[in-house]
Amino acid sequence: MSSAGPLTVAGKRGLIHRWREHLPVTGDTPIVTLDEGDTPLVYSERLSAEVSAEVWLKYEGLNPTGSFKDRGMTLAISKALEEKSRAVVCASTGNTSASAAAYAARAGLVCAVLIPEGNVALGKLAQALVHGARVLEIEGNFDAALELTKEMAAGHAVTIVNSINPFRVEGQKTAAFEVVEALGRAPDVHVMPVGNAGNITAYWRGYNEALDEKWIDSLPEMHGFQAEGANPIVRGEPVADPRTIATAIRIGNPASWRGATDAATLSQGSIRSVRDKEILEAYRSLAQEGIFVELASAASIAGLRQMSETGAIPGGSTVVCVLTGHGLKDPDWAIAGAPQPRKVPAALGPILEHLDLA
Ligand code: F0G
């Protein structure tokens, strides 16, 4: 055990503890955790009925900072500390920066984040700020920010904690372990949003390791969905000016491009796009089922519907859709399309009248 201090002593919870034998840690790795992982796999009756399959939702918005990024960040920050790094840096559409800021604060590391100006949801920005990250708004998009981050990490004593840091993908693969554990098998079909493509790379690795361990005897088809205005993998070339309302996946040149195409090809899956309108519809229908996600996460459900319409979901099959981030990250969209609160006098009469209960 290292002498890194009480906040980094290996806890009994969190995913490094849980999956230790399957992760690149040793007894000397100081573990920085916020008890991430172990998120619910929620059965969706409505979606199951709609697509005539068993649809399960991996609700990653319930991680400590509200997105799946915490799975990779617990490992990336722990390893940065083990390697005696003093500062970490990332480019982000918001969630990576929120997670990096929280874990770096816990570890006592300086955290710098480069975000695309004007395109980060308010909740995510609030998180980076409250945890004391040094936030730089770049006059450019995510892809430009990532290039700058790589240049910074190459020439200076800082650790990059984007998913090009191999520990990020290692941590994130544990979500596939949890799916397998909850279902007692692999799903037939796995559906998820794709932005920088680290997460689809991670799930594919996780399922393959589960197969190697003989926890499962088959692999799922991997289907990734990009937003139509930010769909470089679908087009087969970078998109110079990516555009989508789902700012988390507003990415024109994904770092893990190859990981995404490998997952899709080797699993007989696909990488396709969904329109913003479909993302928004999926977002609202999930909310009507009591599940609040951010727009990028709803791309999973928009993708599921698209697949179902083209007959790509076999009847009765087991489907897992990943819901990557919590809806509270981006309150603007939630409020924009909803009926606004009404002002009423503080008296029972008018209240009952407004509720049609008078
Ligand atoms: N969903 C959410 C909520 C995300 O924040 C991201 C990526 C993705 C999906 C796509 O995952 O990049 O592994 O393909 N967000 C990154 C960020 C880019 O900076 O927070 P991916």
Side-chain angles (χ1 to χ4, degrees), residues 146-184:
L146 184 58
E147 277 313 309
L148 289 163
T149 307
K150 283 192 221 164
E151 282 173 35
M152 250 177 92
H156 301 85
V158 294
T159 301
I160 193 164
V161 292
N162 280 103
S163 55
I164 53 177
N165 176 325
F167 299 123
R168 280 277 313 278
V169 168
E170 279 292 302
Q172 284 173 211
K173 76 184 180 189
T174 60
F177 296 168
E178 289 177 15
V179 167
V180 161
E181 189 174 55
L183 293 176

Side-chain angles (χ1 to χ4, degrees), residues 14 16 19 35 46 75 79 87 89 92 98 124 157 162 179 197 220 267 311 333 347 353:
I16 296 180
W19 301 106
D35 295 359
R46 291 193 204 179
L75 199 60
K79 295 301 280 191
V89 63
S92 181
K124 304 176 189 180
N162 280 103
V179 167
S267 73
W333 273 103
E353 216 166 281

Side-chain angles (χ1 to χ4, degrees), residues 68-69 92-96 194-199 248-249 251 294 296 324-325:
F68 70 94
K69 304 287 180 179
S92 181
T93 57
N95 280 324
T96 298
V194 171
N196 211 24
N199 210 26
I249 51 171
I251 293 173
E294 62 173 284
T324 46

Side-chain angles (χ1 to χ4, degrees), residues 103-157:
Y103 283 81
R106 203 156 170 79
L109 296 173
V110 172
C111 177
V113 307
L114 275 57
I115 57 173
E117 185 186 25
N119 278 294
V120 168
L122 192 62
K124 304 176 189 180
L125 184 59
Q127 289 178 287
L129 294 174
V130 82
H131 294 306
R134 303 199 189 162
V135 180
L136 302 174
E137 282 195 305
I138 303 300
E139 294 169 356
N141 61 25
F142 169 84
D143 303 290
L146 184 58
E147 277 313 309
L148 289 163
T149 307
K150 283 192 221 164
E151 282 173 35
M152 250 177 92
H156 301 85

Side-chain angles (χ1 to χ4, degrees), residues 51-287:
V51 305
S52 303
E54 269 193 25
V55 180
W56 299 86
L57 308 172
K58 184 64 171 158
Y59 197 9
E60 288 288 277
L62 294 193
N63 275 296
T65 77
S67 85
F68 70 94
K69 304 287 180 179
D70 297 339
R71 293 183 183 276
M73 209 55 74
T74 181
L75 199 60
I77 297 290
S78 296
K79 295 301 280 191
L81 208 55
E82 183 177 357
E83 288 157 10
K84 308 269 187 279
S85 181
R86 287 168 50 204
V88 297
V89 63
C90 67
S92 181
T93 57
N95 280 324
T96 298
S97 58
S99 184
Y103 283 81
R106 203 156 170 79
L109 296 173
V110 172
C111 177
V113 307
L114 275 57
I115 57 173
E117 185 186 25
N119 278 294
V120 168
L122 192 62
K124 304 176 189 180
L125 184 59
Q127 289 178 287
L129 294 174
V130 82
H131 294 306
R134 303 199 189 162
V135 180
L136 302 174
E137 282 195 305
I138 303 300
E139 294 169 356
N141 61 25
F142 169 84
D143 303 290
L146 184 58
E147 277 313 309
L148 289 163
T149 307
K150 283 192 221 164
E151 282 173 35
M152 250 177 92
H156 301 85
V158 294
T159 301
I160 193 164
V161 292
N162 280 103
S163 55
I164 53 177
N165 176 325
F167 299 123
R168 280 277 313 278
V169 168
E170 279 292 302
Q172 284 173 211
K173 76 184 180 189
T174 60
F177 296 168
E178 289 177 15
V179 167
V180 161
E181 189 174 55
L183 293 176
R185 52 165 292 184
D188 301 305
V189 178
H190 177 101
V191 187
M192 64 191 298
V194 171
N196 211 24
N199 210 26
I200 190 167
T201 305
Y203 270 95
W204 181 236
R205 185 181 299 172
Y207 284 126
N208 275 284
E209 289 187 13
L211 185 72
D212 292 344
E213 296 289 338
K214 301 197 166 43
W215 299 336
I216 53 177
D217 53 19
S218 65
L219 289 164
E221 284 176 21
M222 302 291 292
H223 296 273
F225 286 87
Q226 302 193 294
E228 197 171 67
N231 62 350
I233 302 177
V234 179
R235 290 191 206 185
E237 60 182 10
V239 174
D241 186 17
R243 287 183 185 274
T244 168
I245 57 171
T247 52
I249 51 171
R250 192 172 184 266
I251 293 173
N253 192 10
S256 300
W257 190 312
R258 182 69 200 275
T261 49
D262 276 358
T265 310
L266 297 172
S267 73
Q268 272 119 44
S270 66
I271 308 288
R272 294 184 232 195
S273 15
V274 283
R275 302 209 310 268
D276 277 1
K277 186 171 169 283
E278 296 162 338
I279 292 176
L280 200 54
E281 279 166 13
Y283 169 82
R284 299 241 175 268
S285 68
L286 279 169

